[in-house]
């Protein structure tokens, strides 16, 4: 199994705007398991401590293998959500690792 972990730092400096963007991203990501069967498990969480230092949002998702992750990444529903994320994110960091 492949675990896909992505951290997002939003570009917004206004707290209200950032909170709205976090909610929009979280809602979009949480909608994906209903239409993308490759997603075995998905968690999305907003940062609650140290907002200036920490990333704003995390995605943790599990896939059967690297091929399933690749299919998820090109799925049209994922592309819609990813397009919005790219429009508001200042920084992104990711790790994909094998879970045994």
């Amino acid at each position: 199994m492949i675990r896909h972990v992505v951290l997002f730092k939003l570009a917004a400096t206004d707290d209200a705007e950032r909170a709205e963007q976090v909610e929009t991203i979280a809602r979009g990501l949480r909608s994906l398991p209903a239409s993308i069967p490759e997603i075995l498990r998905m968690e999305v969480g907003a940062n609650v401590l140290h907002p200036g230092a920490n990333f704003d949002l995390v995605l943790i998702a599990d896939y059967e293998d690297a091929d399933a992750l690749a299919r998820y990444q090109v799925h049209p529903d994922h592309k819609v959500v990813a397009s919005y994320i790219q429009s508001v994110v200042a920084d992104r960091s990711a790790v994909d690792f094998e879970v045994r």
Side-chain angles (χ1 to χ4, degrees), residues 2-6 59-61 63 69 72-73 92 95-96:
I2 297 293
R3 181 155 294 153
H4 178 59
V5 180
V6 186
L59 162 69
I60 304 168
Y63 304 86
L69 174 57
Y72 157 78
Q73 290 173 326
R92 174 191 177 276
V95 175
D96 299 306

Side-chain angles (χ1 to χ4, degrees), residues 1-74:
M1 182 169 48
I2 297 293
R3 181 155 294 153
H4 178 59
V5 180
V6 186
L7 300 167
F8 301 103
K9 183 75 161 176
L10 301 179
T13 56
D14 177 75
D15 290 343
E17 180 182 13
R18 186 172 49 254
E20 181 179 318
Q21 291 172 354
V22 163
E23 181 55 36
T24 300
I25 292 168
R27 187 172 44 254
L29 290 170
R30 289 180 182 132
S31 75
L32 296 177
S35 63
I36 304 176
E38 285 80 6
I39 301 169
L40 300 177
R41 184 181 72 83
M42 177 181 280
E43 292 182 63
V44 179
N47 180 59
V48 295
L49 300 175
H50 315 294
N54 289 347
F55 279 70
D56 297 302
L57 191 71
V58 63
L59 162 69
I60 304 168
D62 293 339
Y63 304 86
E64 186 66 35
D65 53 29
D67 291 337
L69 174 57
R71 288 190 303 275
Y72 157 78
Q73 290 173 326
V74 298

Side-chain angles (χ1 to χ4, degrees), residues 67-86:
D67 291 337
L69 174 57
R71 288 190 303 275
Y72 157 78
Q73 290 173 326
V74 298
H75 191 283
D77 292 348
H78 172 259
K79 287 187 167 270
V80 170
V81 175
S83 177
Y84 174 74
I85 292 171
Q86 291 168 358

